[in-house]
């Protein structure tokens, strides 16, 4: 079976299921596991992601305003691959290519592939997506095994923080200029990790916020998780922002509990590593807790 993935989380799911050898095409962002980066790149952005967060936000707004996609599909390569299965998503047209991006490419294929659109809004949806992908690829039992193991890992974290002495107020920032809070599965991850997300809404998309809203929320912990950024890029962008003077009075800032995390690995992509993201949050909120052995370089105080 030849499978093409139009989103990094889909690629991670395929490799977690042991279907790496079937992956015939990926996106420019598919970098995990390392073997995924060796696959032919089918999808690239039409804007430069290395630009400043404010500029990226502006350009995305312009593309959306014109009704244009920010991604470009290599139609010739897709036709050469002739995939049996394509993974795409209809959750966020900014984060990854969507069914609309397939456009005329599918019409040019000699054999119509199965197109599976993944639209998770919470962790249960993510685990069920793993089952769905496995079933579509003919490995339903493996999908059950992987999903069940991830659910078990999350329950281990939840049990570890069940008797924690505090339930810290948490603000997760998905973008830094302008500010966006984390949405969809992120507030749920915070709750499972023994915290309370004071801005995000579980199961709902992220949304833009003003500095005043963040200041009024008075979070005990702030987690910087810009979508698509590595921890190094996050730290670099954080150092460029100029928050209001009241920023220094927030409990999280006063107590040194502002953290940059590897968003790509543990929060942005709705795939298997979200289970590790829950464990990472639990460790940040309750330092004595590290039931899954979260890597030390997964977060950094700023």
């Amino acid at each position: 079976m030849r499978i093409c993935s139009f989103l990094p989380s889909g690629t991670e799911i395929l490799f977690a299921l042991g279907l790496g050898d079937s992956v015939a095409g990926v996106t420019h962002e598919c970098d995990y596991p390392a073997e995924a980066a060796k696959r032919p790149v089918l999808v690239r952005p039409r804007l430069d992601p290395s630009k400043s967060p404010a500029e990226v936000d502006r350009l995305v707004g312009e593309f959306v305003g014109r009704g244009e996609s920010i991604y470009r599909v290599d139609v010739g390569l897709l036709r050469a691959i002739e995939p049996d299965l394509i993974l795409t998503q209809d959750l966020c047209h900014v984060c990854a290519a969507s069914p609309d991006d397939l456009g005329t490419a599918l019409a040019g294929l000699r054999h119509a592939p199965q197109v599976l659109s993944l639209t998770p809004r919470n962790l249960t949806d993510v685990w069920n997506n793993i089952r769905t992908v496995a079933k579509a690829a003919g490995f339903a039992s493996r999908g059950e095994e992987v999903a069940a193991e991830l659910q078990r890992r999350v329950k281990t974290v939840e049990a570890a923080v069940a008797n924690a002495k505090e339930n810290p107020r948490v603000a997760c920032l998905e973008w830094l200029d302008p500010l966006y809070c984390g949405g969809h599965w992120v507030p749920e991850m915070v709750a499972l990790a023994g915290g309370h997300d004071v801005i995000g809404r579980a199961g709902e998309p992220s949304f833009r916020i003003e500095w005043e809203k963040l200041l009024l929320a008075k979070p005990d912990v702030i987690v910087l998780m810009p979508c698509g950024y590595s921890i190094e890029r996050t730290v670099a962008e954080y150092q460029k922002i100029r928050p209001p003077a009241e920023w220094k009075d927030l409990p999280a800032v006063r107590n040194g509990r502002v953290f940059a995390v590897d968003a790509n690995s543990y929060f942005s992509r709705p795939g298997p590593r979200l289970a590790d993201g829950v464990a990472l949050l639990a460790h940040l909120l309750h330092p004595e807790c590290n039931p899954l052995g979260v890597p030390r370089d997964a977060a950094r105080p700023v």
Side-chain angles (χ1 to χ4, degrees), residues 175-217:
W175 202 248
L176 303 181
D177 186 15
L179 295 180
Y180 276 79
C181 68
H184 291 122
W185 47 84
V186 171
E188 178 186 5
M189 293 171 70
V190 171
L192 290 167
H196 170 58
D197 192 318
V198 291
I199 300 179
R201 303 165 187 160
E204 297 185 21
S206 62
F207 54 91
R208 183 172 176 173
I209 63 173
E210 300 300 327
W211 281 102
E212 182 181 13
K213 187 175 185 67
L214 178 60
L215 297 174
L216 289 174

Side-chain angles (χ1 to χ4, degrees), residues 32-149:
Y32 186 88
E35 187 65 25
K38 301 177 183 179
R39 299 297 189 269
V41 175
L42 274 167
V43 182
R44 297 185 186 276
R46 296 175 63 194
L47 55 82
D48 184 356
S50 68
K51 290 183 178 294
S52 71
E55 181 67 3
V56 169
D57 183 71
R58 184 187 68 79
L59 290 172
V60 167
E62 290 183 358
F63 274 94
V64 173
R66 294 193 300 265
E68 300 177 10
S69 171
I70 66 172
Y71 293 98
R72 180 180 292 108
V73 178
D74 187 330
V75 177
L77 178 57
L78 185 66
R79 291 173 179 172
I81 292 173
E82 284 285 345
D84 303 297
L85 174 65
I86 295 176
L87 301 187
T88 182
Q89 59 89 39
D90 203 20
L91 182 70
C92 175
H93 291 209
V94 175
C95 296
S98 69
D100 294 341
D101 296 306
L102 287 170
T104 58
L106 290 179
L109 297 178
R110 287 177 296 176
H111 306 287
Q114 179 181 0
V115 178
L116 195 58
S117 183
L118 309 179
T119 310
R121 291 182 170 81
N122 53 48
L123 291 181
T124 296
D125 288 348
V126 176
W127 313 148
N128 285 338
N129 277 349
I130 292 172
R131 295 182 173 96
T132 300
V133 171
K135 184 176 181 180
F139 290 85
S141 60
R142 176 58 180 160
E144 287 293 339
E145 292 172 3
V146 171
E149 171 60 16

Side-chain angles (χ1 to χ4, degrees), residues 266-277:
Y266 304 112
F267 299 99
S268 302
R269 302 173 179 178
R273 290 189 290 173
L274 289 185
D276 295 314

